[in-house]
Amino acid sequence: VFGRDPRGRRSLLVDSVQDSFFIASVGLSHPVDTAGIYTLSLSEKSAPTLSCLPWSNLLPKGHPQMMLQSTTLSPSESNLTQEFHLYCRLIYENLKSSVRRRVCNIHDPNHTQCEVGVLFSGGIDSVIISALAAQVLHPDHSIELLNISFAGHSSADRKQAIRAYHELREAYPQRDFRLVLSDIAQDQLVAHQSKIISLIAPRDTVIDFNIGASFYFAARGEGHLYKEESNPKEDSSLPQYTAKCRVLLNGIGSDEYLAGYRRHRAAFIKGGSQSLLEELKMDQDRLWIRNLGRDDRVISSSGRECRMPFLDEEFIKTVLSIPLHHLCDMELKSGEGDKRILREVAREYCHLEHTAYFVKRAVQFGSGIAKISFKKQHADTKIASLLSENEK
C-alpha cells in the first residue's frame, strides 16, 4: 500500500523494470499522482497488479479536497467592507494556527533554539509566515531567513529581502531574526548541476532547473549573516555561517489559492471572474506535479524538512469558503489587488505596512538565476536536449 497525501506535498516516485517494482522519493521516473491510495498485489502465480482506491471514497464529507472555490462572483453592496474585515480575521487566525502547527514542539536535540527557518525572498508570502512564526514561537527562539541570490546584492530578491528584514525587526524587536545571505556564482552552479538535475527528475525543463537550483542552494543555508553596517563589497570577508534550522517554511500555495500569478490577472481581464476561477482551479489541481514533488526533493537533500502553511487543510477549507471578490480584486494594480486579503492581513495583523504591498516576482527572476543559467532558452526547453547539444 502506498500513496501521497491529497495535495501531494511530499515526493513519491515509482518505476518498474521487468518483474521488479520500485518505490522511492527520488531517482525514479514516474511521479505517483494524488488520485488516492494505491495497492500493489504481488503473487507468484501472476504478474503484479496495481489498483487505486480514490480519495473520494476515503475522505470524509466536507474535506477540502472535495470542495470547489466559492463561486460568489459579484460583491453585494451591503456590508462589503465589514464582510471583508471579518474574512481577513478568519484568514489570519487560520494561517496563524497553520504556522503554529508547523513550528511549535520541534525536537531540538542540539538545543540550538533555532529550529525554524523560512525560504525568504522578501515577498508577501515569506514575510507573513515569518511574522506569524515570530508571533507563536517561544521568545527565546531565533528564526533564520534564508535568502538566495545569483547576482549578489543587485538581485531583486536580495534588495527586497533586506527591506523586509528591517520591517520584521521593527515590528518584532524582541525576536532574533537571522538573515542568511547565500551568494552563488556561476561556477558553483555548474559544479552542482548534475546533482540538481538528478533531484528535480523527472521534471526536466529549464524552468524546473532554475527554480530547483534556487531552492537547492537556499535550503543549504550556507552564506553569511546580514550586517546592516557592512559594505556589500566586503561580504567575502564576513564570517561564514551555516543555518541551524531543521524545518524550513515555504510560502508555496499562496499564489494558487489567493490569485497571485500574472496569468490570474490576464484570465480576469480576458473572461472575468469565471475565467479567473477556472485558472485558479487548474493551478490548484496541477500543483502536485508541477511544483511540490520537485521542491520537496531539492529541499530535503539539505537535511531540512520543508513545511507549507498555505497548504494546511483547514486553511484551504477556509479559503475555499470565502467569496472570490474578497480574496482578490483584479481591478486594483499589481501588489494590491492580487492576494488582496493576504496583504490586508499582513498590514492589519502583522504590522507590515510596506512589505505587504511588494509586487510578486517569480523566483527564477527575483534570484537572478535566469541571467546565468541556460540563458536565452525557453522556460519549457528540455535540459537533456541542451546538454546533448553542448557535448557535440
Side-chain angles (χ1 to χ4, degrees), residues 1-284:
V1 178
F2 63 94
R4 297 170 74 176
D5 71 89
R7 304 290 164 196
R9 297 172 183 84
R10 300 293 173 224
S11 172
L12 190 62
L13 306 171
V14 294
D15 239 334
S16 57
V17 179
Q18 296 179 345
D19 294 332
S20 300
F21 189 85
F22 301 92
I23 305 173
S25 60
V26 67
L28 301 179
S29 302
H30 304 288
V32 177
D33 62 34
T34 57
I37 295 295
Y38 286 87
T39 60
L40 182 66
S41 178
L42 302 174
S43 172
E44 295 181 356
K45 299 180 180 180
S46 60
T49 57
L50 192 65
S51 58
C52 176
L53 186 60
W55 283 118
S56 56
N57 295 348
L58 297 169
L59 297 174
K61 187 177 180 180
H63 188 278
Q65 185 72 3
M66 304 296 117
M67 296 175 64
L68 298 174
Q69 189 92 36
S70 172
T71 54
T72 304
L73 302 178
S74 302
S76 59
E77 294 299 327
S78 62
N79 299 323
L80 187 59
T81 301
Q82 183 179 0
E83 285 181 7
F84 177 66
H85 287 288
L86 287 173
Y87 284 129
C88 284
R89 181 73 190 183
L90 193 60
I91 286 288
Y92 166 68
E93 290 175 347
N94 276 268
L95 187 56
K96 183 177 180 179
S97 295
S98 173
V99 171
R100 180 184 288 111
R101 280 191 284 273
R102 285 158 178 79
V103 303
C104 293
N105 301 314
I106 298 172
H107 182 51
D108 183 19
N110 298 321
H111 307 288
T112 63
Q113 294 188 327
C114 190
E115 310 94 344
V116 176
V118 181
L119 290 173
F120 194 74
S121 68
I124 177 66
D125 307 330
S126 61
V127 177
I128 197 170
I129 57 179
S130 300
L132 293 174
Q135 291 182 17
V136 302
L137 276 172
H138 189 279
D140 293 339
H141 288 217
S142 302
I143 300 174
E144 293 176 321
L145 311 175
L146 310 189
N147 177 261
I148 186 73
S149 176
F150 296 84
H153 281 265
S154 66
S155 76
D157 279 2
R158 175 59 52 81
K159 296 175 182 177
Q160 188 170 260
I162 291 174
R163 290 175 62 192
Y165 167 77
H166 284 299
E167 188 162 33
L168 283 169
R169 290 275 311 269
E170 184 178 339
Y172 305 93
Q174 303 305 315
R175 178 66 61 187
D176 176 27
F177 289 106
R178 301 177 185 179
L179 179 56
V180 184
L181 304 180
S182 298
D183 294 310
I184 306 302
Q186 189 166 17
D187 59 342
Q188 290 175 277
L189 181 62
V190 171
H192 289 261
Q193 179 175 279
S194 296
K195 182 175 182 180
I196 295 169
I197 290 174
S198 70
L199 288 169
I200 65 171
R203 303 299 298 175
D204 60 351
T205 65
V206 168
I207 191 171
D208 286 309
F209 178 85
N210 287 346
I211 295 174
S214 297
F215 287 152
Y216 170 82
F217 284 109
R220 283 159 61 92
E222 297 176 354
H224 62 271
L225 292 178
Y226 170 72
K227 301 293 184 183
E228 186 173 359
E229 65 278 6
S230 66
N231 185 335
K233 295 181 180 180
E234 300 174 355
D235 281 353
S236 59
S237 64
L238 292 174
Q240 289 297 295
Y241 181 89
T242 300
K244 299 175 176 60
C245 61
R246 304 177 71 241
V247 167
L248 269 178
L249 299 182
N250 186 352
I252 194 167
S254 170
D255 292 314
E256 289 78 7
Y257 282 92
L258 299 174
Y261 290 124
R262 288 184 180 180
R263 62 175 174 271
H264 295 152
R265 184 177 295 275
F268 177 80
I269 293 172
K270 183 178 180 180
S273 296
Q274 186 59 50
S275 178
L276 173 56
L277 276 173
E278 293 169 1
E279 191 77 16
L280 286 169
K281 184 65 167 64
M282 179 181 70
D283 280 340
Q284 293 159 15

Side-chain angles (χ1 to χ4, degrees), residues 370-390:
K371 293 183 178 181
I372 66 170
S373 170
F374 299 109
K375 293 183 292 184
K376 299 181 180 180
Q377 299 296 332
H378 191 275
D380 293 329
T381 302
K382 300 289 187 181
I383 293 175
S385 65
L386 296 176
L387 296 179
S388 62
E389 289 178 7
N390 291 336

